[in-house]
């Protein structure tokens, strides 16, 4: 695939993977992107997952058309991109390796060598002249590991953005970008909003025509749309006006309450109502919904003087990603010694800018008329 006259795509599509990073379901697989700039000097951007060494080296060889690379630029040391650094180094013995100092120490850990004799360590603002193209490196710590760098090409105005602006799914998957990019962002980088926002601010100062991420499609049209979503995501803002209801239910009582609330919200004109059964849905989908909307309702039973396990896991997933700036409604259920409301409130004690809805719902086994009134009151409050 040709990106510009001098830049080619040499990445691979992984259609066999089931769990990305050992935890995220990827029904449509994953792309490990890699690029090559053919100028007076030749620079390769990143490698690919270990299962694709041969295919990636073949793609590189085809793109080189008889030339040899001068540089391998290592943006990120996570093995989905770095696994073939040694294979590359063995195949092209004169090529230098360009990366952050931290990345070189990680190479020592992964490959038993930090390639000291071929090493070019770069830091913020350093440049590399390829001929016509000058590359400028920017550090992007914790997007998504500490050693990450991104690179700007001043000729084609391309940002090689590492994991930022990435998405689940192979490149030949036809699906909504935002849906799988949001699940990817909050799943993988969500905890590091501050750092991702700092990278975004660096990027906004550059004149960018194309973003080449390490996963997902190359972005070259309507960049404002993608940059704007990243502004919202990295600042834990509200992307979509609406409410997400996340529930667990043992015998259906809590589920019935969650569904009644959804109905009341829709009847009241709520622009979007999303409902997730935490025992059955993809937890990563529920997590992205929690960050997408400004209002969330947690409906759960008391369980072992705590809350139901799937809700406990879900809240942990949110807290781990610095969940903040939301209104939280609670529907609790408990046949004896109900604890859920108290437990949920305590879990968010240290979270920034969480406002609990005044109208909580307190079910004692199954919904009563009083509970229905509580649900109406909660719906009305959330609709304001
Ligand atoms: Fe795509 Fe953090 O590696």
């Amino acid at each position: 695939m040709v990106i510009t006259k001098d830049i080619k795509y040499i990445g691979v599509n992984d259609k066999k993977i089931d769990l990305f990073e050992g935890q995220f379901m990827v029904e449509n697989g994953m792309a490990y992107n890699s690029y090559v700039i053919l100028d007076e000097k030749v620079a390769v951007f990143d490698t690919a997952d270990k299962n694709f060494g041969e295919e990636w080296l073949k793609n590189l060889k085809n793109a080189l058309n008889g030339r040899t690379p001068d540089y391998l630029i290592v943006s990120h040391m996570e093995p989905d991109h770095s696994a073939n650094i040694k294979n590359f180094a063995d195949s092209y013995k004169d090529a230098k390796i360009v990366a952050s100092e931290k990345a070189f120490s990680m190479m020592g850990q992964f490959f038993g060598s930090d390639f000291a004799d071929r090493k070019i360590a770069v830091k913020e603002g350093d440049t590399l002249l390829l001929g016509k193209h000058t590359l400028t490196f920017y550090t992007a710590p914790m997007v998504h590991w500490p050693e990450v760098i991104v690179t700007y090409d001043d000729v084609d105005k391309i940002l090689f953005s590492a994991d930022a602006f990435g998405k689940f799914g192979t490149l030949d998957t036809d699906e909504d970008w935002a849906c799988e990019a949001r699940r990817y962002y909050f799943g993988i980088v969500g905890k590091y909003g501050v750092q991702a926002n700092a990278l975004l601010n660096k990027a906004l100062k550059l004149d960018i025509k194309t973003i080449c991420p390490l996963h997902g499609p190359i972005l070259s049209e309507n960049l404002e749309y993608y940059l704007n979503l990243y502004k919202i995501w990295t600042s834990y803002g509200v992307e979509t006006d609406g409410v997400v209801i996340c529930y667990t239910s043992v015998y259906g009582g809590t589920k019935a309450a969650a569904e009644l609330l959804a109905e009341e919200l829709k009847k009241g004109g709520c622009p979007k109502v999303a409902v997730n059964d935490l025992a059955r849905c993809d937890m990563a989908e529920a997590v992205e919904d929690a960050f997408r909307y400004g209002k969330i309702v947690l409906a759960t039973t008391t369980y072992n003087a705590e809350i139901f396990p799937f809700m406990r896991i879900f809240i942990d997933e949110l807290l781990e990603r610095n969940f903040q700036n939301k209104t939280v409604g609670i529907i609790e259920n408990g046949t004896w010694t109900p604890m859920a409301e108290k437990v949920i409130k305590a879990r968010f004690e240290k979270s920034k800018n969480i406002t609990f809805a005044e109208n909580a719902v307190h079910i004692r086994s199954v919904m009563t008329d009083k509970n229905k009134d509580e649900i109406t009151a909660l719906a009305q409050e959330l609709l304001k």
Side-chain angles (χ1 to χ4, degrees), residues 244-315:
V244 56
I245 302 168
C246 295
Y247 73 89
T248 64
S249 194
V250 187
Y251 290 104
T254 315
K255 179 181 180 183
E259 285 173 347
L260 180 61
L261 176 66
E263 241 174 72
E264 297 238 350
L265 286 167
K266 282 180 206 159
K267 260 198 281 171
C270 186
K272 187 100 173 60
V273 182
V275 181
N276 292 306
D277 173 354
L278 295 176
R280 292 177 176 80
C281 71
D282 170 8
M283 194 65 90
E285 290 278 356
V287 168
E288 69 158 294
D289 276 349
F291 284 94
R292 175 179 184 174
Y293 300 98
K295 296 167 186 175
I296 182 168
V297 175
L298 302 173
T300 193
T301 43
T302 300
Y303 193 83
N304 288 336
E306 244 275 351
I307 47 177
F308 203 66
F310 294 104
M311 181 61 77
R312 202 174 59 224
I313 294 164
F314 179 58
I315 293 175

Side-chain angles (χ1 to χ4, degrees), residues 20-21 76 78 80-81 144 163 184 215:
F20 181 64
E21 290 188 359
H76 182 17
E78 193 163 11
D80 51 335
H81 312 292
H144 125 249
D163 274 346
Y184 173 86
H215 302 288

Side-chain angles (χ1 to χ4, degrees), residues 20-21 30-33 76-82 143-145 147-148 162-164 166 184 188-189 214-215:
F20 181 64
E21 290 188 359
M30 204 66 201
Y32 312 118
N33 295 343
H76 182 17
M77 277 303 294
E78 193 163 11
D80 51 335
H81 312 292
S82 71
V143 190
H144 125 249
W145 278 16
E147 83 298 357
V148 173
D163 274 346
Y184 173 86
I188 288 164
V189 194
L214 285 177
H215 302 288

Side-chain angles (χ1 to χ4, degrees), residues 201-220:
N201 286 331
K202 286 183 196 180
L204 289 173
K205 290 188 186 126
L206 302 168
D207 176 17
I208 299 172
K209 283 212 173 81
T210 304
I211 297 175
C212 288
L214 285 177
H215 302 288
I218 288 124
L219 308 173
S220 53

Side-chain angles (χ1 to χ4, degrees), residues 140-188:
M142 302 322 293
V143 190
H144 125 249
W145 278 16
E147 83 298 357
V148 173
I149 54 168
V150 301
T151 305
Y152 179 67
D153 167 29
D154 66 334
V155 170
D156 288 323
K157 311 224 175 296
I158 292 182
L159 180 71
F160 295 92
S161 63
D163 274 346
F165 299 96
K167 173 187 159 294
F168 295 124
T170 55
L171 290 202
D172 53 2
T173 305
D174 185 14
E175 64 186 355
D176 179 52
W177 184 87
C179 182
E180 283 298 74
R182 188 191 305 107
R183 188 167 71 97
Y184 173 86
Y185 172 80
F186 283 110
I188 288 164

Side-chain angles (χ1 to χ4, degrees), residues 14-46:
D14 184 348
K15 297 194 175 197
K16 287 200 177 136
I17 186 169
D18 58 345
L19 287 181
F20 181 64
E21 290 188 359
Q23 59 171 319
F24 299 102
M25 284 192 271
V26 280
E27 267 179 32
N28 293 321
M30 204 66 201
Y32 312 118
N33 295 343
S34 170
Y35 309 90
V36 59
I37 303 186
L38 297 144
D39 199 346
E40 284 167 33
K41 301 275 185 186
V42 175
V44 178
F45 281 87
D46 298 288

